[in-house]
Amino acid sequence: MGHSVALNFADGKTFFISVNNDELLLNAAIRQGITLPLDCREGVCGTCQGQCETGIYEQEYVDEDALSERDLAERKMLACQTRVKSDAAFYFDHHSDICNAGESLKIATTVTKVELVSETTAILHVDASQHTQQLQYLPGQYARLHIPGTDEWRSYSFANRPNAENQLQFLIRLLPDGVMSNYLRDRCDVGQTIMMEAPLGSFYLREVERPLVFVAGGTGLSAFLGMLDTIAEQDNAPAIHLYYGVNTEADLCEQQRLQAYAERIPQFSYHPIVGRGTDTWTGKTGFIQQHLDKDQLAENAFDMYLCGPPPMIEAVKTWLDDQALSNYRIYSEKFLQSNTAKV
């Protein structure tokens, strides 16, 4: 049996290929029409360099001038010398168009339900089973959805893990006057067709090998729902702390689902934070960075994932700098209000 391998590029496009047992990654990519940059094919020039984000792999000869000991420790690799030993994901720091990789997958989906999960948030459920193969994406990635009756597309993170039935969820903020929001409120009916382009984005779950800190602002929670769905299926997950910030209590959503993760993931803890709490709110209030624990974070190396509005992300990064913490890796995705924003 072969392995399913995701190739992610700097322009946010991801392409999945199959790699046969004992087949070099470079050869598998070329066989499926993705011409990764190459020169020597001997592990010397470094032209086909990438980085393994998840999965098990082995490399044959790698010249020290192509990859240093530090590079190797950081899981950098050469496609011409890499043989994968499991399903995996690799990142290449160049655009996909130089590899003739083509366009992302566009498929028709069918609306099955619009579920109101808070006063300001809905989950759009769609059926993508017209795509006869399982839709592949990395937990945390997003799709672009075409809004029926308009020329507009909007981008939303997958709120669940890939599944054989291709049943997909997207957590969507309901704006007072947004193109997608107005469609969901006024015109969306079960059975309607929504075109989707996917998978997209460089914000996704990497190899889970040390404690995780998830920081979600508003519907930035969506990406973490997909990640937690995936982690819940794994054994021996490390400690995971999820900080979920919203403006008001009315914005909190998926509370039962988040609490259920604690039953499935032994070391999962969840911290809802309300910017402006009412007199009846007894939980945390204010800004997320006010509730991060420097001493706890300093105990072990950790990976931090940030997803939400730019001010939140910048505030957390500034807090990390001010604490002089250096034992972490950080991955982030900002939500912006634009034609390609997740709004």
Side-chain angles (χ1 to χ4, degrees), residues 104-253:
S104 300
L105 181 68
K106 289 186 178 179
I107 61 175
T109 71
T110 303
V111 175
T112 58
K113 182 168 61 172
V114 177
E115 178 185 5
L116 190 66
V117 291
S118 81
E119 292 183 11
T120 57
T121 315
I123 291 184
L124 173 64
H125 296 255
V126 299
D127 176 3
S129 60
Q130 292 184 46
H131 185 63
T132 55
Q133 297 179 331
Q134 178 175 320
L135 180 66
Q136 296 177 300
Y137 55 90
L138 301 172
Q141 287 193 302
Y142 68 90
R144 294 178 70 236
L145 303 181
H146 175 251
I147 302 168
T150 77
D151 295 328
E152 301 290 335
W153 293 72
R154 291 293 185 268
S155 301
Y156 300 98
S157 299
F158 292 100
N160 62 328
R161 70 191 299 264
N163 56 88
E165 296 78 23
N166 281 348
Q167 302 302 301
L168 308 175
Q169 302 173 21
F170 301 96
L171 191 65
I172 299 174
R173 181 186 174 198
L174 297 175
L175 301 172
D177 186 24
V179 178
M180 176 61 88
S181 301
N182 292 340
Y183 164 69
L184 293 179
R185 278 191 295 257
D186 304 333
R187 309 190 311 278
C188 183
D189 292 316
V190 170
Q192 286 183 334
T193 297
I194 294 180
M195 292 301 300
M196 179 180 74
E197 179 184 11
L200 298 165
S202 298
F203 183 76
Y204 51 83
L205 186 66
R206 271 65 176 183
E207 191 81 19
V208 179
E209 55 189 4
R210 52 190 191 173
L212 301 174
V213 180
F214 292 163
V215 179
T219 51
L221 177 67
S222 189
F224 296 114
L225 295 175
M227 292 183 186
L228 289 167
D229 274 358
T230 300
I231 294 171
E233 299 294 325
Q234 301 175 355
D235 296 325
N236 303 317
I240 304 169
H241 301 278
L242 169 64
Y243 296 85
Y244 171 34
V246 295
N247 291 325
T248 70
E249 295 165 58
D251 298 320
L252 289 168
C253 67

Side-chain angles (χ1 to χ4, degrees), residues 51 57 68-76 209 329:
Q51 184 162 15
Y57 67 100
S68 66
E69 289 295 326
R70 179 175 178 177
D71 290 333
L72 294 172
E74 293 177 350
R75 294 168 63 87
K76 292 183 179 177
E209 55 189 4
R329 295 180 298 221

